[in-house]
Amino acid sequence: MSDPMRVRAAENGGIVDVKILMKHDMESGQRKDAAGKTIPAWHITTINVKANGKDVLNGQFGPAVSKDPFLNFKYKGAKGDKIVVSWVDSKGDKRTDEATAS
Amino acid sequence: MQRKFTLGLASGMAAALLMVSSSVSAQNSATDDIAKYREMIADGNPSELYEAAGEELWKKPAGPKNATLEKCDLGLGPGVVKGAAAQLPRYFKDTNKVQDLESRLMTCMQKLQGRDPQEMIDAPFQKGPKKDMEAIVAYVVTLSKGDKIKVSTAHPKEKEMYELGKRAFFFQGGPMDFSCASCHGEDGKRIRLQDLPNITTQKGAALGWGYWPAYRVSSGQFWTMQQRLNDCYRQQRFPFPIYASDLTIAVSMYMAKNANGGTVETPGLKR
Amino acid sequence: MNMKNIKSLLAISCFALASVVMHGNVMAQQANDPKFNKMMKDGFKADGIAGLDRIQQDETQKFCSDPVFANSKQGTKMREKIQKMNMDSIKQPSDGKYIGDWKKGEAIAQSGRGATWTDKADTVIGGGCYNCHQIDPKEISYGNIGPSLTGYGKMRGYSQEVVTYTWNRINNSKAYNACSNMPRFAHFKLLNEQQIQDVMALLLDPASPVNK
Amino acid sequence: MNQQRRSLLKYSAVFGLMASAGLISVAQAQEWNKAAFEGKSLDDVFKILGAGSPDKSSAVTLNAPDIAENGAVVPVGIVTTLKAEQMAILVEKNPSALAAQFYIPAGTEPFVTTRIKMGQTSNVYALVKADGKWSMAVKEVKVTLGGCGG
């Protein structure tokens, strides 16, 4: 079961600045456990951001993106835009959260 | 910068004046670059993820009594969370003890929810009941962000705890002869590139106490003050400090009281 | 030293001696506090290689846990006693060799690992030298709790006197400064003889980057 | 802020449920570019992305620190004056060079910042695809050893 994201979106001069924090271990596949066994990679693979139903960003992550990923981008939009962020990870887990541009 | 330069001279050899000053400037540019790095990651502190989870846990009925923590008294009255972390540790009449945030939360979990504190004490950090504790701590300390640190030693037990903490701070042991003071007892010191606050001064104590609990970048974990202290003792090569023991509360009391007047900047974002 | 000083020194040491006899303690060093002792005893548990014996202080640690006394005039005699005790414990290299391999020494200086409760008994303990000292000028990540050691041999020369002093200092820094922040590497077997020879080479081999 | 977060949590619960029930398909537009992320070297990834050997361009800016205090979190941003359709972040000395890739629809600024892991000091590459052509910026980021190392 995945934990909620934090999504913040602030409009300024017709540009919406979106900041997303995702809760995910982003296991690299490079680490070993106490017994010396490699911990398999487990990471977010794709992330989709929509504003009012329209794609504003599509991202793809490899295992080299940091734990608890942070993403910041900007699009042309307005206050009140409904922003929906969804990710899928390499095990097929999913998470969707929403915020409103302020 | 001026101070570092002087220190570099003091610790260096007079015969190597030129060499020392050139390497000090290289060091200064390295520490400046580290400062830039910290600035770049300051926006978007993953502590927020824990804080949101903690608020949920605070309001969710749990434990054998199926109760929430909403009536928990952190020193400002039942249910008052805003500003509570800024005045801890403190003396509590009901337990007749000086408690830090985590030991007090254990009392609330026991009294309100009927949870066994020993389970919390024994759990490893970042797992099981401690995971809940960490999220709740993130929630509570965020609600003191920006407040002034104001810890009292007016009660005799608080004063006693402070003195015991001070003594523990200077207590040397282990195979490396370390005490807390070995690293945190002088101004302007570093381990590798990490600045070490001088916790014996108000300014240094505020830099340490004021920024923990924090999200720790190197481990990708949110660390409570208890875990921060625990890892200090690990690096000191001491035995394992028992969670929420008087020892840990006493050292916290020493740091917090010294930090009085500083600002609560928690949750911080640390290396 | 004038007469007055000698007199007061004598008075102090007599008094110190007397109080040792009377209380089993040294004058002005912080008193034994049962409450504190209990807090320490109840505050820790043994974990892996980090046993509770680690908070059983030896004389040096006890003395240095009271910096006010340790740095005071009254503490002078005790300070000297502790330094002598640590000096006497130092062994010169059994094979007569002081200088090993500086490359291995650099690796030892870089590592700050070992001896914690998350380590195993056979975890190789590092010297952790860069935690506190600047050494190879190419390493920018160094601490400043101890003095810079860059140019160590080049500045001091490579005389037997310098070599012996450096050997002693790495083996047991408390022989020169009772409450030095530097661990007693030989006393607590943190580094073995060969490892100390390698660290010596890092500082005192003319080919080491430290001396370039 | 609290009010906002509460509604956020409520919404996310609903959306999570919808997603798991298959009522909305999440991120349906994109398949993960497995081959590119599994490419070991820079050249491997360039080839898979169809980037050939991209030219360095002053129109592409890579924002990254000179020194990272910790390799686990290295902030990296790309910004460009070009009309970017795609952006990618590559780390030369990582076991797999490609760290992240972004598709920039019309209306979205050619600006993105994220955080990546670096195993050691390495060159970091910012790639931008605009008008069908790839350009890039390069910067070395030093990864230092911090703390007591224990």
Side-chain angles (χ1 to χ4, degrees), chain B residues 182-253:
Chain B
S182 305
C183 290
H184 295 288
E186 278 180 83
D187 287 342
K189 295 296 179 191
R190 284 193 328 265
I191 279 187
R192 292 276 185 165
L193 284 172
Q194 267 67 57
D195 295 315
L196 301 163
N198 179 355
I199 291 171
T200 65
T201 66
Q202 190 277 335
K203 196 174 159 236
L207 276 173
W209 183 258
Y211 285 80
W212 289 92
Y215 183 85
R216 201 158 195 254
V217 160
S218 53
S219 58
Q221 294 167 340
F222 177 81
W223 279 19
T224 65
M225 186 50 91
Q226 282 282 337
Q227 188 171 4
R228 172 61 280 183
L229 280 180
N230 182 277
D231 201 57
C232 279
Y233 275 119
R234 189 180 69 85
Q235 301 277 15
Q236 267 173 251
R237 274 74 183 178
F238 271 46
F240 192 99
I242 293 164
Y243 186 76
S245 59
D246 277 352
L247 160 77
T248 61
I249 296 167
V251 173
S252 295
M253 190 66 181

Side-chain angles (χ1 to χ4, degrees), chain B residues 37-38 43 55 194 234, chain D residues 5 69-70 73 115 147 150:
Chain B
Y37 164 79
R38 288 184 188 148
D43 195 14
E55 186 180 5
Q194 267 67 57
R234 189 180 69 85
Chain D
R5 187 181 330 128
E69 196 173 13
N70 196 287
V73 174
R115 295 169 184 168

Side-chain angles (χ1 to χ4, degrees), chain B residues 25-137:
Chain B
S25 69
Q27 177 87 56
N28 276 344
S29 84
T31 46
D32 285 352
D33 287 339
I34 293 284
K36 266 183 231 153
Y37 164 79
R38 288 184 188 148
E39 209 180 297
M40 286 179 86
I41 61 167
D43 195 14
N45 183 341
S47 294
E48 289 182 25
L49 298 164
Y50 294 80
E51 178 209 333
E55 186 180 5
E56 244 184 308
L57 287 167
W58 184 261
K59 294 168 179 172
K60 200 174 83 181
K65 292 187 183 172
N66 200 36
T68 75
L69 289 170
E70 286 166 305
K71 289 201 180 96
C72 178
D73 183 357
L74 296 169
L76 300 178
V80 183
V81 182
K82 179 93 192 69
Q87 44 93 56
L88 289 170
R90 62 169 287 155
Y91 172 77
F92 287 88
K93 226 180 221 165
D94 57 350
T95 52
N96 191 27
K97 280 175 81 167
V98 175
Q99 295 182 292
D100 68 344
L101 174 58
E102 287 163 76
S103 56
R104 186 61 191 171
L105 284 170
M106 282 201 312
T107 300
C108 287
M109 289 173 183
Q110 184 181 20
K111 290 193 169 166
L112 300 172
Q113 302 180 315
R115 287 161 77 167
D116 177 5
Q118 197 58 43
E119 280 175 24
M120 184 66 76
I121 292 167
D122 293 341
F125 289 108
Q126 307 292 329
K127 292 198 175 92
K130 284 255 171 68
K131 213 175 156 181
D132 290 355
M133 175 63 89
E134 285 143 9
I136 292 165
V137 165

Side-chain angles (χ1 to χ4, degrees), chain A:
Chain A
M1 183 53 206
S2 51
D3 294 316
M5 292 179 242
R6 291 299 308 270
V7 181
R8 283 180 298 175
E11 186 268 349
N12 190 1
I15 303 287
V16 178
D17 188 338
V18 184
K19 288 176 180 160
I20 306 163
L21 273 168
M22 294 153 254
K23 183 94 193 70
H24 202 287
D25 277 354
M26 301 298 286
E27 197 55 65
S28 67
Q30 307 289 324
R31 297 197 314 143
K32 288 185 166 61
D33 64 15
K37 243 183 73 187
T38 302
I39 305 169
W42 178 21
H43 59 89
I44 292 175
T45 50
T46 57
I47 172 163
N48 169 267
V49 188
K50 286 184 168 60
N52 298 332
K54 183 178 155 274
D55 279 5
V56 286
L57 189 78
N58 279 297
Q60 303 215 343
F61 287 173
V65 170
S66 302
K67 183 177 176 179
D68 298 335
F70 173 74
L71 188 58
N72 177 206
F73 71 98
K74 295 167 183 175
Y75 74 93
K76 291 189 182 69
K79 282 192 183 20
D81 281 3
K82 277 234 168 323
I83 293 156
V84 180
V85 185
S86 311
W87 57 249
V88 180
D89 75 15
S90 52
K91 287 186 183 172
D93 283 354
K94 295 164 185 184
R95 176 85 210 175
T96 295
D97 291 290
E98 216 202 66
T100 304
S102 60

Side-chain angles (χ1 to χ4, degrees), chain C:
Chain C
M1 197 182 259
N2 63 32
M3 227 19 227
K4 205 174 148 209
N5 278 350
I6 291 174
K7 262 187 191 160
S8 59
L9 197 68
L10 273 175
I12 286 162
S13 46
C14 284
F15 187 70
L17 204 68
S19 60
V20 167
V21 173
M22 284 188 304
H23 310 293
N25 208 337
V26 183
M27 172 202 151
Q29 182 156 358
Q30 62 188 0
N32 188 34
D33 177 359
K35 213 158 197 170
F36 178 78
N37 297 343
K38 184 173 185 325
M39 179 182 87
M40 295 300 283
K41 193 175 149 276
D42 295 345
F44 290 98
K45 63 176 183 189
D47 188 354
I49 59 169
L52 288 171
D53 57 312
R54 291 186 175 196
I55 50 168
Q56 296 299 319
Q57 295 178 307
D58 69 10
E59 209 170 348
T60 304
Q61 293 171 337
K62 201 172 274 177
F63 177 70
C64 297
S65 295
D66 183 2
V68 175
F69 177 69
N71 295 319
S72 71
K73 208 173 143 201
Q74 289 88 333
T76 308
K77 195 162 169 270
M78 188 68 178
R79 213 153 52 226
E80 284 164 359
K81 183 189 150 195
I82 281 170
Q83 283 167 196
K84 182 170 186 309
M85 195 172 65
N86 281 296
M87 183 66 92
D88 291 347
S89 77
I90 297 173
K91 291 189 184 72
Q92 299 307 307
S94 54
D95 56 1
K97 204 178 103 182
Y98 285 88
I99 308 292
D101 178 344
W102 70 261
K103 282 183 186 141
K104 286 182 188 159
E106 167 71 11
I108 293 163
Q110 285 283 357
S111 169
R113 294 201 166 273
T116 75
W117 69 67
T118 49
D119 293 307
K120 296 194 177 72
D122 60 0
T123 305
V124 176
I125 300 171
C129 312
Y130 281 101
N131 285 355
C132 299
H133 297 282
Q134 182 183 29
I135 311 173
D136 181 341
K138 283 192 291 296
E139 176 56 85
I140 56 164
S141 180
Y142 62 85
N144 65 359
I145 293 175
S148 170
L149 303 173
T150 302
Y152 187 90
K154 202 164 74 175
M155 267 170 358
R156 291 170 180 77
Y158 306 92
S159 68
Q160 189 55 43
E161 196 189 343
V162 169
V163 168
T164 310
Y165 165 77
T166 309
W167 176 266
N168 291 350
R169 194 93 208 198
I170 297 170
N171 272 264
N172 193 329
S173 190
K174 269 93 178 170
Y176 297 91
N177 171 4
C179 297
S180 158
N181 280 322
M182 186 159 145
R184 292 172 279 176
F185 287 100
H187 176 71
F188 281 113
K189 300 186 170 62
L190 300 169
L191 297 178
N192 63 31
E193 199 175 84
Q194 199 197 324
Q195 289 171 309
I196 295 174
Q197 289 163 347
D198 293 338
V199 175
M200 287 285 287
L202 182 64
L203 299 178
L204 287 166
D205 185 335
S208 159
V210 167
N211 298 317
K212 289 289 167 195

